[in-house]
């Protein structure tokens, strides 16, 4: 006897575009470890403190395209198909379409 599970729903995370909630939290484990080793807020990582002083910004990806893909890249496939069809038509006209 098998009962189907209820439909799964995608969970939407709250949008924090400035990522300010995470960056202002001083109780993070990693930050505490870095401070114990001599790092302080506002300094970069590295021997000469040359690293980034800001955290990595996050962006909400709210579409079904792959990472790094944009809508205008999808049109390139059609353009390449047109180029291929034109080349094929030129070859057929030069060498005869029905000949092998």
């Amino acid at each position: 006897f098998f009962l189907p599970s209820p439909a799964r729903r995608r969970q939407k995370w709250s949008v924090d575009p400035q990522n300010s909630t995470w960056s202002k939290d001083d109780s993070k484990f990693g930050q505490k470890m870095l401070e114990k080793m001599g790092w302080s807020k506002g300094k970069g990582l590295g021997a000469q403190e040359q690293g980034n002083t800001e955290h990595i910004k996050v962006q909400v990806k709210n579409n079904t395209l792959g990472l790094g893909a944009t809508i205008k890249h999808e049109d390139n496939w059609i353009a390449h198909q047109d180029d291929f069809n034109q080349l094929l038509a030129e070859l057929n006209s030069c060498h005869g379409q029905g000949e092998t």
Side-chain angles (χ1 to χ4, degrees):
F1 189 90
F2 176 73
L3 290 175
S5 63
R8 291 186 180 186
R9 296 159 79 193
R10 282 191 164 172
Q11 183 178 6
K12 277 279 196 188
W13 296 90
S14 64
V15 178
D16 184 13
Q18 301 301 321
N19 207 13
S20 58
T21 305
W22 176 85
S23 65
K24 292 178 183 175
D25 182 14
D26 293 333
S27 65
K28 296 181 293 284
F29 174 78
Q31 182 171 339
K32 286 181 181 180
M33 291 298 294
L34 287 169
E35 287 172 349
K36 286 181 184 179
M37 292 184 252
W39 175 82
S40 62
K41 203 169 198 172
K43 292 184 180 178
L45 293 177
Q48 287 80 34
E49 299 175 354
Q50 75 277 14
N52 292 344
T53 58
E54 294 291 321
H55 58 82
I56 297 171
K57 304 291 184 198
V58 294
Q59 293 178 334
V60 176
K61 181 183 172 304
N62 198 13
N63 58 28
T64 57
L65 296 175
L67 289 178
T70 58
I71 293 174
K72 60 184 170 186
H73 285 112
E74 293 175 356
D75 295 338
N76 289 342
W77 290 102
I78 296 171
H80 292 302
Q81 182 67 34
D82 292 340
D83 293 340
F84 175 75
N85 288 337
Q86 181 182 359
L87 176 66
L88 188 59
E90 289 174 7
L91 288 172
N92 283 335
S93 67
C94 290
H95 296 288
Q97 188 173 359
E99 298 175 15
T100 56

